Amino acid sequence: MARAADAAGLAGRGSGLSVVPWSECWARPPACPHANFGGSPEGSHLLVHHLEAVAFACGRPDGSLEQQLAFLAGLCHDVGKGRQLWQQWIHRVHRAQTHGQLLRERSVPHSPAGAAFFALLSRKLLDHAWNAQPCDRSAGLLPVAQRKALEWLRMQWVRDIADHHGRLDDLNEQPPWRNTLNPTLWQEIDLPGLWAWLSTFLPWLAETPPSPTDLKVQVEGLGREWTQAWPKVSGRVQRELSLSRTPVTEAAHRLLVQRLNTAHLIWADRWDAAMADSPEVITGCVDGSPGIAAPSVEPYAERPAGRPASNRPSPPNGSCPHASTATTDRYRLNPSTARTAMDALAQHLRGPMAAAVTHPTGTSSLADTVQARRESARLQAIDAYRRRPPDTRLMSLVLPTGLGKTFTSLQVALEAVATGECSRIVYVAPYIAILSQATRDIRDATGLEVLEHHHLSVLHQLYSEQSDLSVTKATRDSVEWDIDPVRLFATDSWAAPVITTTFNQLFRALFPQSAQQSLCLSSLERSFIIIDEPQIMDGNVWNLFLKQLEAAVHTLHAQALLTTATLPPTEYGLSQDPWPLAGRNIPLPTPRYCVEMAGDANEQRMAELAVQAVESSEAPVAVILNTIGDAYRVWQLLKSQKVRVPAGSRHAGVDGVHEPAAGEGDTEESTDLPVLLLTGYMTPVHKARIIDKVGTLVKEHRPAVVISTQVLEAGVNLSFATLIRALPILSSVVQAAGRVNRHGEQAQPGKMIVARFLREGEKDSRAAVYRSRAARQATDETLATMGDSWTETDSSPLLARYYQTLITQDPQTANLSALLEAAQGRWLSVSGTEPFQETYSTAEVFVPWGERYLGDGLRALLRSFAPKGVKQLYQRYLDREWIRQLDFAQRRAFYGLLHQFTVQLPADRATQVGDFSDAEIGRLQSPDAYDDHSGLSRVATQRGEDPDDVTDCFA
């Protein structure tokens, strides 16, 4: 058998170039670095096996024309790897690995060749099908319409193959392979071997393969044909959309189906690579399960009603070595498991959850009422879900904050699984701070396995996998952190019974910027998707998101629940209103909070209000400012303040809890006021530490002030007796009020003070964050009707009035036209749409701070990458040769750990404190610039003010 290193063993071509026999081409190096070139699939990952696995995961060679195109796309996507230059490169990679060396060469591009080859074979497929199919025009024009639809689908597949390792680009008059194919490309491929292999799957293929010259001419002709056909094909799509009664809805559906094709190709490609690289494949077992079956959603069109989802087809005669035909029980929920989880949840709500919200001084009658209302809301939601009209897939749960929206939503999701309507739960939250708390709550309440996915999720997976190890000081530095490729693939593709993720990740699945970002889309099939606090996303993307979400749940036979206390109007984004699972107002006999409008306030006035609140309540007080600079200025004024509290009362220091000394009297004493600052200008390690401290303060009911940006406003299960809020927009006012007397701990209403914050008594900084002039104006107009105070009872009608005013002034439908543009091939119109829009560029700064605050698991990971500590971690980042030695999973883990010590700043702020001369992530120039208590927040007060970036830092 030929060896790639032995030129004498390579088949010759008339051009003088050598080629590797098609049956011996590699798709990637073997798992064993000392394996020989060629040989069994256990020794090497042969290209033919990889292409077969991907093809059978995408479609069928004997199915409909749509299925055949999908199959052909999988069969052709990596054909370019068969060229001699690519095979030589991958063999040099293998040789370097074998000798522990580093190969500095970049990979040889192969995707354009796969796109061109698919374009050629798909043209032959459609021509054969068209000629073989009788066309009686007197009977109608369906065959003509079908061919035009298939031409559009074919072009989309060509674009996907060309982009499957990079950015998703537009379809236009130029073929994706234009100006990218090497002149000797087809001479470098064993065309006779390739043709013989293809003939086993494509009976319509001509027996005689073309010569390299003929193939080059044919591809050039296809390019000219593409340019000529494009105006007709794209014009037809435009006409169809213009004739639709609901063009935007139709466009969203078309885009969803198109991106499902992308997702299936990437899913199959990544899955086969993970299986081939996994050390557990040889035993036929991955994590105790035989494998993950490919998505069952058909990638080419919406299934007819009543037609069951097809399973992944088995390869002919078992010839596909890595294709999995295993069950998916481990990665989906079944009705029996859901019912068990529902029982566990009910027990949790009666026991641990009820105990957790008990006030240290005892439970008030209002707390009992709140608990009863939670149970009532939960039962009402389940009943409303069961009574919903058939085929209702979008629902809403609008409940006042603190009445258990998360657990009620979870109960409804489990009901959907228990009745067999869904088989997976996906919980989506705006920020990691909310997500981490919800993940723990879901896991503890149900006992279910929960996969948490975001940009740091590899670290979470590592930590959870090592949690059962006894990591002692003696062994901590020697722990190995190898990530199995299958486990990593499961994380990236949401292959788990319950997934918790962020708005950012969901948006990347719905509006992917790269082909790899579409991977999770397939896993939404038959999922119950909980969208928590959706009102936090920017208003200008709200309707765009709703349109694509609606297309997703209908096409994927999924369900979605929008859960919040302040749901924005959905009439411009959804075809019909979501089915309500609860009324917008569940009245309590006594309001939990009262809102007082305090007029204008500068930094000094906000500090005075905080001190007065602590002295009167002897409990933690929260102050939420709109921008980081504002928060830092108020913190500066407060951090040296003293307060008058009864002698002997407990109070918390910044770094711990202080107990009163023995013999302290009962008279009032003056004590330092513990003040905590929480902003986006802190490293994740630092923010996590501050959030833990805030939780301790609230739990122990100790006098202190917590100054924060918006991260405390939504989804965080904290309750304060008093909260002071710089005036934002009305929906944020109501969300923040949900942190006041949240569980009814106080029999009397808690207090929320809202002041129009003027920096230095002059500048209203609200517009730096809440950029919608219409939202600010609607807020001011609505609050002007309420006078100086209002209570929780008024919140629901106030919100209704606010949203009605806002939608009248600005329905925010301009972005919907982007869906029409994208459906006509201009994908970049919606590509990369984010839930939180930035209007300024950002950069990251590395801060060597907080190593001592890492848990044992992350500290062990740090030692494995940087034995000398966190400063060496940045040196590793600068060492590109060292980075290249890491495999894909190790690199993911390394960058995840690196980001634990970075702060994202506006670009101009970043250049003030960071050195960017060596790399994209800058290094903090002066260690003294990072404060142990405020991080880099002081930077926000220099040379003006930038918008608060909390949505970016916590996403």
Side-chain angles (χ1 to χ4, degrees), residues 540-583:
N540 61 341
V541 300
W542 170 242
N543 290 315
L544 184 68
F545 165 73
L546 289 179
K547 279 294 182 188
Q548 204 64 8
L549 178 67
E550 183 179 51
V553 296
H554 285 288
T555 304
L556 292 162
H557 306 279
Q559 297 177 19
L561 175 61
L562 305 169
T563 177
T564 177
T566 57
L567 182 66
T570 62
E571 59 192 90
Y572 289 101
L574 300 179
S575 300
Q576 59 184 22
D577 290 337
W579 179 256
L581 300 186

Side-chain angles (χ1 to χ4, degrees), residues 309-450:
S310 59
N311 292 322
R312 176 176 179 172
S314 300
N317 304 319
S319 62
C320 181
H322 303 313
S324 170
T325 57
T327 64
T328 60
D329 288 348
R330 177 176 172 81
Y331 303 98
R332 291 189 178 274
L333 286 172
N334 58 51
S336 176
T337 303
R339 285 189 287 270
T340 301
M342 291 172 71
D343 292 340
L345 176 60
Q347 182 63 34
H348 179 83
L349 295 177
R350 288 192 298 267
M353 181 62 189
V357 300
T358 301
H359 194 275
T361 60
T363 303
S364 70
S365 59
L366 181 57
D368 292 335
T369 302
V370 170
Q371 188 69 8
R373 288 292 191 275
R374 286 183 181 132
E375 180 65 13
S376 175
R378 187 171 66 89
L379 295 176
Q380 177 184 345
I382 293 295
D383 180 63
Y385 176 78
R386 291 170 178 168
R387 292 187 294 101
R388 77 192 193 284
D391 296 327
T392 299
R393 299 191 175 276
L394 277 162
M395 294 150 284
S396 65
L397 179 65
V398 181
L399 289 173
T401 55
L403 288 194
K405 293 188 299 296
T406 299
F407 285 120
T408 299
S409 300
L410 181 60
Q411 178 85 20
V412 174
L414 289 170
E415 174 73 14
V417 177
T419 56
E421 296 187 52
C422 296
S423 59
R424 179 173 285 151
I425 297 174
V426 180
Y427 170 86
V428 193
Y431 312 134
I432 290 178
I434 299 175
L435 189 70
S436 298
Q437 174 183 293
T439 301
R440 291 191 298 268
D441 289 345
I442 294 171
R443 185 182 292 120
D444 294 344
T446 63
L448 293 171
E449 175 187 352
V450 182

Side-chain angles (χ1 to χ4, degrees), residues 863-911:
R863 291 289 180 259
S864 70
F865 285 129
K868 296 181 181 180
V870 67
K871 291 183 179 180
Q872 188 188 22
L873 189 69
Y874 188 78
Q875 294 303 318
R876 295 291 203 195
Y877 163 70
L878 296 178
D879 188 349
R880 296 310 183 199
E881 294 188 1
W882 183 86
I883 291 289
R884 290 193 189 100
Q885 296 179 52
L886 303 178
D887 61 27
F888 176 72
Q890 292 170 335
R891 197 172 302 166
R892 285 275 302 277
F894 173 79
Y895 281 113
L897 182 62
L898 182 75
H899 289 306
Q900 287 286 326
F901 299 95
T902 65
V903 179
Q904 191 170 47
L905 302 171
D908 63 335
R909 295 286 184 259
T911 56

